[in-house]
Each structure stands twice: as C-alpha cells, then as structure tokens.
Amino acid sequence: MADLTTDFLGIKSPNPFWLASAPPTDKEYNVRRAFDAGWGGVVWKTLGSEGPPVVNVNGPRYGAIYGADRRLLGLNNIELITDRPLAVNLDEITRVKKDYPDRAMIVSIMVPCEEQAWKDILPRVMDTGADGIELNFGCPHGMSERGMGAAVGQVPEYIQMVTEWCKQYYDRPVIVKLTPNITDVRYPARAANAGGADAVSLINTISSITSVNLDSMSPEPMIDGKGSHGGYCGPAVKPIAMNMVAEIARDAETRGLPISGIGGVTTWRDAAEFIALGCGTVQVCTAAMTYGFKIIDEMTAGLSQWMDEKGHKSIADFQGMAVPNVTDWQYLNLNYVTKARIDQEACIQCGRCYAACEDTSHQAISMSPDRVFEVIDEECVACNLCVDVCPVESCITMEELAPGTVDPRTGRVVEADYANWTTHPNNPGAQAAE
Amino acid sequence: MSDVSPHTPGIHAGRLTNEELTENFSDLHPAYANHEAAVAADRCYFCHDAPCITACPTDIDIPLFIRQISTGMEAAAAKTIFDQNILGGMCARVCPTETLCEQACVREMAEGKPVEIGRLQRHATDTLMAAGVHPYARATATGKRVAVVGAGPAGLACAHRLAMKGHDVVIHEARPKPGGLNEYGIATYKTVGDFAAAEVDWLLQIGGIAIEYDSALGSAVTLDALRESNDAVFLGVGLGETNTLDFAEKTGVDDAVDFIEALRQADSFAEHPVGRQVVVIGGGMTAVDAAVQSKLLGAEHVTLAYRGPRARMKASDFEVDLAAQKGVRILTEASPVGVEGNGSLTGVAFEHATSGERFVIAADQCLMAIGQKLNGQALPALENGKIKVDDAGVTSLPGVWAGGDCASGGDDLTVTAVAEGRDAAEAMHKVLMA
C-alpha cells in the first residue's frame, strides 16, 4: 500500500488532499465534517481584520457552466472573505485543531496592506495552534476593489513586503497564494520567494463572467439586474493552473520552492498530475462543492492504487517527475516525426476526423464511399487534431517514424539526432553548430 | 366488476379492468422530459456526411436537428425535420428506426446503443406542434389545381408540398376521416392521444388544401373526371383490399386490419372484444400490431403464426421482440391449412413448412394479416400488382403521379410514403410551372 502521508513545510497530513480556503472551510461545522470524511487538511476560509465583518450580497453568489448532462465544468463566485466575526473563527479554529491534531490546519488571511494590520492579527492566529498561514493575494472580486486580494497579488513589490512582515511576526510556515490574473506568474512567485515565503499556492480564481442572461441582458450570477465579474474555478481552469505551477517549478529563481497546487482538482488523476508538476499538496474546492466531502474516498483510493501500480511508495517518489519534461518550444525536437494512424477495427466511421482535417487542417484524411477513413501520409503534419476530436479513445494514435525512413510529406529522411529551432537554418538567430 | 376475465372462453369485451387497459395502451415510447432530451441529444457525434441521414427515406438532417435540440432550439429542430418530412411527428412514433436511422447510427456500431433519434425527433416535433405553430406559408398562388386521391401519408405529404408551392389542392378521401393508415392502421399504443388527427389538423394550417371525405375513387369520383377538371392528379390510395385465405366461414375468423381499425376508432378499450385464445396469421407489422393488442386487451393466449422462417418476417426485430415481451408466442414455419369448429371457431390447423407435420392450435379468434393489395379499376398501368411509377412518381398516364403503398418500388413504410408524396409534388410543380 502506497503511503499517502504528506510532509509539506514540516506540516504533516494523512494525505495530500486539502480543502482550499473557500465556503467549505468557513465554519467549524463544515471543517469537522471534512475531517471526519477523511480530508488531509484545510485552509480555513480567509480571515479579515478585527472589527465589523464584511458583508456578502444577499442574492446569488455563484454562476456555472456545464458540460453534457449538466455536469458542472466551471463555477464562478462573488463571495467575499469570511463574513463572521474574527473571534468566532479563531475560537473554532482552535477547537478543531485541538480535536484533529493529525490534520493540517492552515489559516488564510487577508488584511489591509499595512504593517500594523498584519502585526495585529498574526499573534492571534498563532494562538489557535494552526500549522501555518496562507496569504490571500488572489481574490479577484470585491476585496480587490478595496486594495486587498488580487490588488496585492498583482504587484510583486507588495507581495514581497507583506510576506516579509509575516515572516517577521509569525514563526510558522507562510504560504503565499497567487492570483492567475496577471501576465506572468513567475514575477509574483519570485517576489514571494524573495520575501521569504515558505511556499506558494496557486491558482486563485480567474476573473470571469460565466454567462449572460439573454432575457435580462445581465451577467450571471445576477444581483438586481446587474452582475460583477467573479472568480472562476472548477475542472475548466485546471490546464491554466497546471501551466502556472509548471512555470514556477522550473523557473531558475523559484525552482524548489514548495507549491500547493490548486485549480480544478476533481479526481485522483488531477492530483497526481499536479504533484508530478512539483506540488507537495493539492487543494480542492469546486469538486467538494459539487459532490460533497465524500469524493475524498475516490481521491485517496485512486491515488493509492495508481501509486501501487507504478511502484511509488510515497508522494515524494513521483513529486516533480514531470517538471524536467516541461520545456520551451524552441527546445522541442524538430526531428521527432509522427503520423496519425487510424485503427480500422476501432473506427466507428463517424467521420469527425475527416471533417476536422478537411475543413480546418491539412486535408490529410481520405474518405471512401463506404466510409473508410485513412491518413494521407503525404499531407499529415501530425497535428493531433484528429486524435483530439475522435470519440473513440485510442482509435487514432500518433506513430513515430523511425530514423532513416522518409517522411512522405517532406521527402526528407528522418534524422536520429535531436535538433531544435535554435539551430534550425530558417531561424535568423540560429547559432551554427560547432 | 365484469365477470369476464382473460380465461373466459369466447370473444368478449372487458377482460381487463379499465386501469389495466389504460396502462396497457399507454405510450410505447413516452415523450422525453427536457433534461432527458438534452442528455440524449448530447450523445450525437454530429458525424460528417452522417449515415443516419442516408438511412432516412426522407433525408432528414438528423445531426443538425439533434444539435438544435441540444442548444435549446426545439422549434428550429422541428423545422429541420418538417422541411424534409411534414409527417415527422408520426414518423417519430411509427418508423422502424432500428432498421433505419438508428441502425446506421455510429453509436449502434460502437456500443449497440444508438442515439435515440426517433424519440428526439418526437421531442422536437411535439414541442413545435404543442405551441400551435405551423412554420410554413404558401407561395404566391399559381392558379393551378391539383387533385390528390387519398389523405394518407403520401397524399398528405404531396398536398402540403403542393399547397406550399402555391397550388390549390383538393384531397379525395374514401373514408370519413383523414390520415389513412396513420388513422386506421397503426397500433393504438404507437399514437396515443388521437395524434394522427391532431397532426392532420396541424398540417392543414398551411391553407390551400380542401378535403372531400367519403369520396372514393371509382365510385364518388373517377380518375378521368379528376384529370379533366385538374391540372394534375396524385394517386395515394394505398392498398385498400386485404388478402384472404380460402377457409370455411367461421365466426371468430376476422381480418387483422379491421381489428386494428376498430380498436383505433373505439371509444373505450373496455368495449372492444377479443378472444381468449387468439391466433394471428402473418409476419408483418400488421400481424404484430394485432397480436400485441390482442394480448393487451386481455386475451389469455396469443400466437403469431408465420409460414416462413423468422428471417423472412417483414416485422422488424424490435416489433417481434415487443410481441414476445408482451407474451405473444411466435411460431414460424407454420402454414395455415384450415380452420376448425362447428359454426364458431375452435382451432386453426397448420402444417409445418419443412416437416409437413400437421397440428391444430386451439383458438376462438383468428386474425388474418397476410398482406394487402391494390383495389381499383381504370388505374394507370400496374407492375407487380401496384401502380407503375418512376423515381419521380410519374405513372403511365399523362398528368397522373402516384406514391405511397399503392405505387411500385416502395417498402410499405409511412416514411417512404411521405418521401414519395413529397418528391412527386416537387416533380409535379416543375411540370405545372414549365
């Protein structure tokens, strides 16, 4: 049996699945249910400064987009940080951590960008016995209009400054949660690193309008005829999140900085992918909000089984294994030549590959009167579109041309040696091979 | 409470309670709820040059109408269907889709579970018809007059297309109601709620079509007179006469077509008599409809006896399976050789087609469903007992077209009759406007 226990910044949890700072972690009641269900840790929903709590809208907070059978693919929200008094939250955190000492308890914090505000709250969080804090520099809606959340996360200098304050006034791990609403995630990550962050977590939600109501002509979720952008999350954002995680994992300045991966983690496989890209834990929200806490059973069982099948004894065994394979386009091997291959036994003759290739690509698939679809090697650039649109898994695959064979499209012999754009004769900046 | 039960010998009404009868004669394929339809629609792959379209005698753009359903545009989906098949509502109910569009569906090949095209078609057409919308208007009046003989599927499709083109149409119908086999010849559970009549009412909303009832060709009107007083004539008279076996007269030996018709026209199922032991002779849809409905009315034993092997039965696999599922015994290679009984029927004698063995099946009712034939004189030239037509429905007589079951070359399906009526109308229009 694979060992799922996780040591992230010295914080132990029975599995790498944490609940992200979000509605599911706003109250003692929910968090106890989560721990009873088997979640490895929680990041308590973001606390604000002492004083009257923020207020939320009194109409819909969430909007959604759906796939087939109303499967929820993307969720957006306009909920703010916790709207309950600070003292209530701190008391509850204390109690829950005491009762569940083996689970990770991280407290998310968002207070104004002033040293005193952080100086005030950090000792009180320390007193709860929580294992660490997560700085919410990511919330894209509401709080950002007040100079917090994403408004901080979009200015690397602020990130560094606040991180430094936290490291100064708090003696447990500090995780900086990053916003994806920036042009290059490496800059805020580098700033967090420079400020002394123990880890980064990402991504927070993406600014979004999920849909427009064509009757009322208002964005959803709609409040009295108006809408405001919300934060987008769920399965739809996973590819964006994974790219940002990989960028940080392979950046020279931030390589090795622990990462807690967030963004559309719905199944064990999603988690394994984030971990392969360097994450030490993953955080889940939308999947739990869609299906309830019980999904943890599939996640832990699935991850465990896959690790057993692959011979990974612990999370650390495969953590970051995919990072060396993430590279820049210019280093991709241009001598790697493949051709699409259609398995005629598996083909159900829907013709989607043909339509896609004929209408939108390279006219590299032929169609016979009796609906046999075949690849024309002379035209196939191996773009993979046919593979992607084929409804039958593994019906169309990419076959590598062996070195020494001739690519019928280019008429050139496939070279065995690796060669990329940096040395390609068409590249004006190419360096002649020495 | 009636003292008649399924076990009561003889031919009686009221073998089952009203509740049982209502349940038995409910919709064979109930309508989809909206979400069900969305899920079913989502299974369509939107195939290139889709095989289902080719398999449809009326060439409905099936992937398009299904995609329109999936985007919430049922009315547009219905228009896509009606453009090709103005009786798309009935065809959705009675088409043997398992041997047409759904057999060709690539998901049938892939998983043995085709997209449920028939039910989706019903969802679209029902939605538009329930809204009371008739989406077609007549072109500018041409001043041409066309006589259509027969208000069955072929005649109605022909009349509608002609009216749409601006011609004035008078339909001469031998019966007191329109619809042809849709009204008189199809099992009740396939077209509940008096759908056939509602569909004709809806179709006639186009305008420009008058129907003269009790206006049979050969008695009330003659083909010569119709040719004289109209610019063109379309014959869609169907097959008005049933084949019979040369058996002794016995009470209890009935025509299956009459049995089905009487049941369709009955005010109440409870008043419709049926035998305790029913033998249906035949292997087509009519035989199945009669056998299944006998069972549904409460007959204790129903046997469907066909003289040839299973493979030669004209009823589709679905129909035969349905009969078996309802408790009908299917007997093949049983050639009927006589009836027994002293005045009233007591049994039907058979000879096994290969062994020659003779046997008698006890029966108090025998329903003959051994085919229909063309009835009438002074018709255009015949071929194999049907009116000889070319692909455009042209007969041997100038200005006379024909289509549907009465015309050569068809397959006795509603959907084929619709296609022939429609195509003849297009051909007639060309000639009329030349």
Side-chain angles (χ1 to χ4, degrees):
Chain A
M1 262 299 263
D3 178 10
L4 295 187
T5 57
T6 308
D7 183 337
F8 187 71
L9 318 173
I11 303 167
K12 305 266 198 313
S13 59
N15 62 56
F17 298 99
W18 294 3
L19 283 168
S21 168
T25 62
D26 191 28
K27 289 199 308 287
E28 178 176 357
Y29 181 83
N30 304 66
V31 174
R32 282 185 185 275
R33 282 180 68 85
F35 284 157
D36 290 343
W39 289 83
V42 304
V43 182
W44 199 277
K45 185 171 165 81
T46 309
L47 308 182
S49 297
E50 182 70 69
V54 302
V55 297
N56 272 299
V57 293
N58 296 298
R61 299 175 190 187
Y62 306 113
I65 65 162
Y66 297 103
D69 203 359
R70 220 174 142 83
R71 174 186 282 252
L72 192 146
L73 296 181
L75 187 70
N76 111 341
N77 85 88
I78 56 169
E79 183 171 294
L80 304 183
I81 62 172
T82 183
D83 55 9
R84 306 185 317 140
L86 178 62
V88 171
N89 277 305
L90 292 172
D91 284 351
E92 291 184 1
I93 292 166
T94 308
R95 276 202 298 272
V96 175
K97 179 61 199 179
K98 193 158 160 285
D99 287 351
Y100 297 88
D102 65 324
R103 311 302 171 94
M105 173 68 82
I106 311 296
V107 178
S108 174
I109 308 175
M110 182 198 291
V111 295
C113 224
E114 298 152 7
E115 190 170 359
Q116 191 59 45
W118 293 90
K119 214 171 160 179
D120 289 344
I121 196 168
L122 289 170
R124 299 182 67 180
V125 172
M126 201 123 59
D127 289 345
T128 63
D131 300 298
I133 58 172
E134 185 181 80
L135 312 187
N136 182 343
F137 292 159
C139 234
H141 50 270
M143 302 311 290
S144 55
E145 296 168 14
R146 305 173 201 180
M148 292 180 271
V152 178
Q154 287 163 341
V155 184
E157 293 78 4
Y158 291 174
I159 294 174
Q160 182 172 343
M161 180 176 73
V162 176
T163 307
E164 283 170 352
W165 293 336
C166 290
K167 287 304 291 179
Q168 190 180 342
Y169 301 118
Y170 183 74
D171 63 4
R172 289 189 174 188
V174 175
I175 304 166
V176 174
K177 186 167 180 177
L178 302 177
T179 177
N181 300 306
I182 37 81
T183 45
D184 187 338
V185 79
R186 290 173 300 179
Y187 290 89
R190 287 169 188 163
N193 196 37
D198 297 284
V200 290
S201 57
L202 69 157
I203 57 173
N204 206 309
T205 57
I206 303 170
S207 295
S208 62
I209 291 172
T210 44
S211 62
V212 174
N213 183 319
L214 291 176
D215 295 320
S216 61
M217 283 295 167
S218 58
E220 299 283 358
M222 181 272 280
I223 300 291
D224 192 24
K226 306 273 192 236
S228 180
H229 76 262
Y232 195 43
C233 53
V237 310
K238 180 186 147 199
I240 298 165
M242 291 210 300
N243 175 55
M244 290 186 166
V245 164
E247 288 294 288
I248 294 169
R250 70 191 188 94
D251 181 58
E253 275 189 48
T254 53
R255 187 173 297 150
L257 179 65
I259 304 172
S260 183
I262 313 169
V265 176
T266 308
T267 67
W268 71 265
R269 182 182 294 275
D270 301 326
E273 292 177 17
F274 272 96
I275 293 168
L277 287 171
C279 296
T281 66
V282 293
Q283 297 183 29
V284 177
C285 173
T286 309
M289 291 183 71
T290 309
Y291 303 108
F293 289 145
K294 192 174 163 33
I295 53 161
I296 186 63
D297 292 341
E298 181 283 323
M299 291 174 161
T300 50
L303 187 61
S304 178
Q305 182 186 320
W306 173 78
M307 286 170 65
D308 286 346
E309 284 166 9
K310 293 288 180 187
H312 301 308
K313 295 199 162 31
S314 70
I315 298 290
D317 277 8
F318 70 98
Q319 185 185 351
M321 273 179 84
V323 176
N325 294 328
V326 184
T327 185
D328 293 341
W329 190 96
Q330 62 180 335
Y331 300 122
L332 296 176
N333 184 6
L334 296 174
N335 283 340
Y336 176 75
V337 182
T338 67
K339 296 288 175 191
R341 291 286 171 260
I342 301 174
D343 177 351
Q344 298 297 339
E345 291 290 303
C347 176
I348 60 169
Q349 302 178 354
C350 69
R352 274 165 58 159
C353 59
Y354 175 83
C357 193
E358 192 70 10
D359 286 352
T360 72
S361 294
H362 300 87
Q363 296 75 50
I365 294 179
S366 66
M367 176 180 175
S368 74
D370 57 346
R371 300 187 76 81
V372 174
F373 298 91
E374 287 175 307
V375 176
I376 304 165
D377 284 356
E378 288 75 9
E379 304 297 335
C380 178
V381 303
C383 73
N384 212 47
L385 181 63
C386 55
V387 174
D388 293 335
V389 302
C390 179
V392 180
E393 195 177 350
S394 303
C395 173
I396 310 181
T397 49
M398 282 294 160
E399 181 183 87
E400 187 179 351
L401 294 194
T405 56
V406 175
D407 177 353
R409 181 175 70 89
T410 58
R412 293 203 197 98
V413 173
V414 177
E415 305 277 346
D417 298 334
Y418 163 85
N420 64 42
W421 173 245
T422 63
T423 56
H424 196 278
N426 288 16
N427 180 356
Q431 294 151 2
E434 294 293 324
Chain B
M1 184 69 198
S2 163
D3 54 1
V4 177
S5 79
H7 318 293
T8 311
I11 300 176
H12 299 285
R15 290 183 180 273
L16 300 175
T17 64
N18 281 330
E19 290 73 33
E20 287 167 327
L21 289 167
T22 304
E23 170 65 26
N24 283 356
F25 285 91
S26 63
D27 221 335
L28 181 60
H29 301 292
Y32 280 134
N34 282 338
H35 179 71
E36 262 185 302
V39 172
D42 202 76
R43 294 187 67 237
C44 173
Y45 286 143
F46 204 73
C47 294
H48 173 76
D49 191 11
C52 54
I53 305 178
T54 311
C56 175
T58 55
D59 298 305
I60 294 171
D61 191 339
I62 293 164
L64 175 61
F65 94 67
I66 293 178
R67 194 165 175 78
Q68 288 171 310
I69 291 174
S70 69
T71 61
M73 292 285 119
E74 276 83 355
K79 178 84 165 28
T80 300
I81 295 160
F82 291 135
D83 282 350
Q84 293 296 110
N85 181 338
I86 199 66
L87 296 182
M90 181 58 84
C91 288
R93 289 163 166 78
V94 303
C95 260
T97 51
E98 68 282 0
T99 63
L100 298 171
C101 53
E102 291 178 15
Q103 184 179 57
C105 177
V106 299
R107 296 199 80 145
E108 170 64 27
M109 186 197 293
E111 323 151 39
K113 285 192 191 115
V115 174
E116 292 189 312
I117 298 167
R119 286 182 80 190
L120 284 163
Q121 177 164 322
R122 174 170 172 187
H123 176 73
T125 52
D126 279 6
T127 303
L128 188 76
M129 288 172 71
V133 175
H134 188 87
Y136 302 98
R138 297 187 68 194
T140 313
T142 60
K144 304 284 185 188
R145 276 176 55 91
V146 182
V148 169
V149 185
L156 288 168
C158 180
H160 187 273
R161 186 59 61 106
L162 288 167
M164 203 163 78
K165 302 277 187 193
H167 309 300
D168 288 325
V169 183
V170 176
I171 303 181
H172 296 271
E173 168 56 48
R175 317 289 297 255
K177 283 186 183 178
L181 288 179
N182 288 356
E183 176 61 39
Y184 294 103
I186 287 167
T188 301
Y189 51 81
K190 290 178 183 169
T191 164
V192 301
D194 219 359
F195 178 80
E199 184 178 48
V200 176
D201 288 345
W202 172 86
L203 179 147
L204 294 175
Q205 286 176 29
I206 182 90
I209 304 173
I211 305 186
E212 291 185 9
Y213 296 108
D214 302 311
S215 181
L217 188 67
S219 50
V221 287
T222 65
L223 185 52
D224 283 345
L226 290 177
R227 292 176 72 196
E228 193 87 354
S229 56
N230 289 278
D231 297 295
V233 178
F234 175 81
L235 298 174
V237 296
L239 301 174
E241 205 173 310
T242 49
N243 295 327
T244 50
L245 293 171
D246 190 18
F247 291 159
E249 287 274 322
K250 293 267 182 283
T251 305
V253 179
D254 300 310
D255 196 307
V257 169
D258 294 340
F259 175 83
I260 291 167
E261 177 181 328
L263 190 55
R264 274 297 294 280
Q265 302 302 317
D267 290 329
S268 131
F269 301 120
E271 291 166 14
H272 194 84
V274 70
R276 175 191 180 195
Q277 301 177 110
V278 179
V279 170
V280 179
I281 296 174
M285 299 287 202
T286 302
V288 170
D289 280 2
V292 169
Q293 294 195 114
S294 297
K295 194 74 196 160
L296 299 181
L297 282 170
E300 188 177 22
H301 301 290
V302 179
T303 304
L304 191 157
Y306 177 60
R307 64 195 157 114
R310 171 71 190 85
R312 285 226 321 266
M313 287 176 77
K314 281 182 83 179
S316 67
D317 286 346
F318 173 83
E319 296 280 336
V320 176
D321 287 349
L322 176 74
Q325 182 208 327
K326 297 293 182 190
V328 173
R329 181 164 70 127
I330 315 285
L331 200 61
T332 55
E333 305 202 41
S335 297
V337 291
V339 288
E340 302 192 344
N342 187 11
S344 288
L345 181 71
T346 57
V348 183
F350 292 92
E351 189 176 279
H352 191 270
T354 47
S355 71
E357 182 193 353
R358 284 176 72 99
F359 57 96
V360 173
I361 298 177
D364 38 33
Q365 188 171 29
C366 175
L367 299 171
M368 301 281 185
I370 52 172
Q372 286 105 273
K373 59 187 177 191
L374 184 60
N375 165 23
Q377 286 146 11
L379 293 168
L382 304 186
E383 178 183 64
N384 297 328
K386 293 188 171 191
I387 299 170
K388 187 181 177 193
V389 291
D390 68 5
D391 286 346
V394 175
T395 70
S396 62
L397 294 178
V400 179
W401 281 257
D405 289 356
C406 70
S408 63
D411 50 14
D412 296 351
L413 293 177
T414 306
V415 65
T416 304
V418 171
E420 290 173 0
R422 175 200 71 191
D423 293 346
E426 291 288 350
M428 294 161 89
H429 175 68
K430 269 192 195 142
V431 172
L432 290 171
M433 302 310 285

